[in-house]
Structure formats: structure tokens, C-alpha cells
Amino acid sequence: MGSVPRTLELFYDVLSPYSWLAFEVLCRYKNIWNVSLQLQPTLIGGIMRDSGNQPPAMLPRKAVYMRSDVRLLSQHLQVPIHFPKDFFSVILKKGSLTAMRFLTAVKMEHPEMLEKVSRELWMRVWSRDEDITEPPSILAAAEKAGMSMEQAQELLKRVSTPQVKNQLKETTEAACKYGAFGLPITVAHLHDETHMLFGSDRMELLAYLLESHGQRSLVGYGPHGCKELDTTEATQQQQQSLFSHVRRHITRDAVATTCRHF
């Protein structure tokens, strides 16, 4: 039997370009790394309020650095990020509350569509400079992602329900409990350890953690528990080689060999 996938939770908001970068890398490598990736739509505004943090764009030097940093990372990882023309209005005034509630509803009702709808919302705001706050904009994103208009309209009706509101609040609170002070955060559940990693630039560290927990696998054998088994020497060597390669080559060339979306 194969090894049981380790679980990674990605807490993200489509208002965050760094969240998009982390999202794409994890989506590309989840099968190679043999991880179960759980996408967690989260409200970045709630994280900021709870932690006392503020957006980097509020500090002039950070704002300048952020533009350069995101531009280089987008080229490096081949994610088509372009800053909105009216950046402060889009990010600081309009926000993403309705979009993140919609993604929460998608996860609750059609989880198989969450990755595609999330990506399309990022494409709208961070690539094509299009709105993500008005109902027609959200419906257009859902339809372009492959959801039927009937499904999208039904989900849009649910964004104001207590169930969806409470779920988004609970997910945001969970991120705060893990220690989030911004987004994205990746929470790695590796056997009996949990690690919270902030930002999109911790993938080498994440690969190291996965590699360090990859020498043994827990294989379930019945309802009363699971038995810890050694993987074969060949599998261990192959896995170690793979993780070492990824740690060295989370680069444009390496990404080009994995699943491409653009």
C-alpha cells in the first residue's frame, strides 16, 4: 500500500496576490508531494483586525517593494499578475467579503469547483483588472470556471445566509488560532506535528518538512487504528531524491514540468 498523504491547509483570500502564488505552487505540486491539499477561503480583513497588522501597501516603502516583489515572483512562477490600476480602491475600499463568502458557499456545496472558481476570481482582480464585488462579476467568474449559471445563482443567494457567514468566520478564526497575521498561511499536518508557514516563499521549507517526515508512513488497516510501516529502501531513496530536487528547483523550469494552467 502507498503512504498516507500528509495534509496541507491553505488559508487564502483572493484579494492577496501572494495567496495566488502559494495556491498555484501547491496545486502544481500536491500530487508530486503526495499531500492532501485543503483549500480554506479566509477573510484577510478579519486576520488583520485580529492580529493588529495592516496591509503592506499602507507603508510606502513596503508598497514599493511589494510591486517589485510580486512582479518578479509572477514571472518566476509564471502566474499572470498585473496590479489593478486603482489599487487602493480595489484592495482597501472594495475588499473581498462577497467573493470570499461565495467561495465559502462553493466549498460547502460544490467543493470540486473551489480550485477553479478561486483561480478565476484571482484572474479577474489580479490579471484583468476586473471587479469581484458585484453579483454579475462573481457570476461571470463562476461561469467561466465551468459552473452552470443555475448553480452559481443559487450559491450567490446563499452568501448572506447565517450558515455561510458563520463558516467564513470560523475559518478565519481558525487561521488566527494557528497564529496568522496575514495571508496566505499554509498549515502542514505531518503525523503528530503541526507547522504554520506564512507567505508564498516558504515552499523550500515546506518541502524540507515533508521530506523530514517522509521516511515512514502510517498505513490504516482497520477500524481500531493504524499500523506504522517502513517504506521500502527504494521508495525512500526516490522520495528523498524528489524532495531534494524540488527544494532546489522550485523555479520556472521546474514549474514548467508540472501542471500548467496558463
Side-chain angles (χ1 to χ4, degrees):
M1 297 178 63
S3 61
V4 177
R6 284 67 55 90
T7 298
L8 301 180
E9 294 183 272
L10 176 67
F11 293 81
Y12 67 96
D13 188 318
V14 296
L15 209 60
S16 161
Y18 291 106
S19 288
W20 190 8
L21 295 168
F23 169 90
E24 293 298 348
V25 171
L26 292 176
C27 286
R28 290 165 181 172
Y29 280 97
K30 62 183 178 181
N31 292 329
I32 295 175
W33 282 348
N34 188 33
V35 295
S36 173
L37 177 60
Q38 298 181 4
L39 299 176
Q40 304 286 16
T42 312
L43 191 64
I44 194 169
I47 300 287
M48 294 295 182
R49 286 191 295 272
D50 185 79
S51 65
N53 199 1
Q54 58 180 326
M58 297 299 293
L59 300 175
R61 291 185 184 179
K62 280 189 176 182
V64 172
Y65 177 79
M66 178 182 173
R67 282 184 174 271
S68 174
D69 188 45
V70 170
R71 178 179 59 83
L72 290 173
L73 285 169
S74 69
Q75 294 171 0
H76 175 64
L77 296 171
Q78 297 185 348
V79 179
I81 297 178
H82 306 284
F83 273 69
K85 292 180 180 178
D86 193 354
F87 175 82
F88 283 96
S89 176
V90 170
I91 303 303
L92 301 178
K93 292 182 180 180
K94 292 184 179 181
S96 60
L97 179 59
T98 302
M100 298 316 295
R101 284 179 177 171
F102 184 78
L103 288 177
T104 300
V106 171
K107 182 176 181 181
M108 293 170 69
E109 299 295 329
H110 299 283
E112 73 282 358
M113 295 298 300
L114 183 58
E115 179 182 331
K116 292 182 178 180
V117 179
S118 297
R119 181 177 291 112
E120 186 53 37
L121 286 168
W122 267 307
M123 287 289 291
R124 287 187 67 88
V125 66
W126 281 106
S127 191
R128 301 192 297 265
D129 196 9
E130 296 174 346
D131 176 69
I132 61 166
T133 62
E134 298 297 328
S137 302
I138 294 175
L139 291 175
E143 188 174 30
K144 188 157 186 171
M147 184 173 285
S148 72
M149 184 54 65
E150 292 75 16
Q151 287 177 328
Q153 288 174 337
E154 186 61 32
L155 291 177
L156 191 59
K157 293 177 183 177
R158 297 201 59 197
V159 299
S160 59
T161 63
Q163 292 86 350
V164 170
K165 289 181 178 180
N166 289 338
Q167 183 58 60
L168 179 58
K169 181 180 179 182
E170 289 175 9
T171 303
T172 303
E173 289 175 346
C176 291
K177 289 179 181 178
Y178 282 125
F181 51 87
L183 292 176
I185 65 166
T186 303
V187 179
H189 302 278
L190 307 174
H191 302 328
D192 59 345
E193 296 181 14
T194 298
H195 301 268
M196 188 277 281
L197 305 176
F198 171 74
S200 63
D201 56 352
R202 296 296 186 270
M203 296 305 165
E204 290 185 357
L205 180 57
L206 177 58
Y208 164 76
L209 288 171
L210 292 171
E211 180 182 11
S212 66
H213 287 77
Q215 301 304 311
R216 300 173 73 86
S217 63
L218 292 175
V219 180
Y221 62 85
H224 303 295
C226 56
K227 182 179 180 181
E228 189 178 56
L229 299 176
D230 285 320
T231 57
T232 66
E233 182 178 356
T235 301
Q236 290 179 11
Q237 292 175 350
Q238 183 182 33
Q239 187 178 56
Q240 184 174 6
S241 176
L242 173 62
F243 280 117
S244 296
H245 170 80
V246 172
R247 285 169 59 193
R248 293 193 305 269
H249 297 95
I250 300 182
T251 64
R252 180 172 180 169
D253 290 339
V255 168
T257 66
T258 61
C259 180
R260 292 279 304 280
H261 300 289
F262 308 107

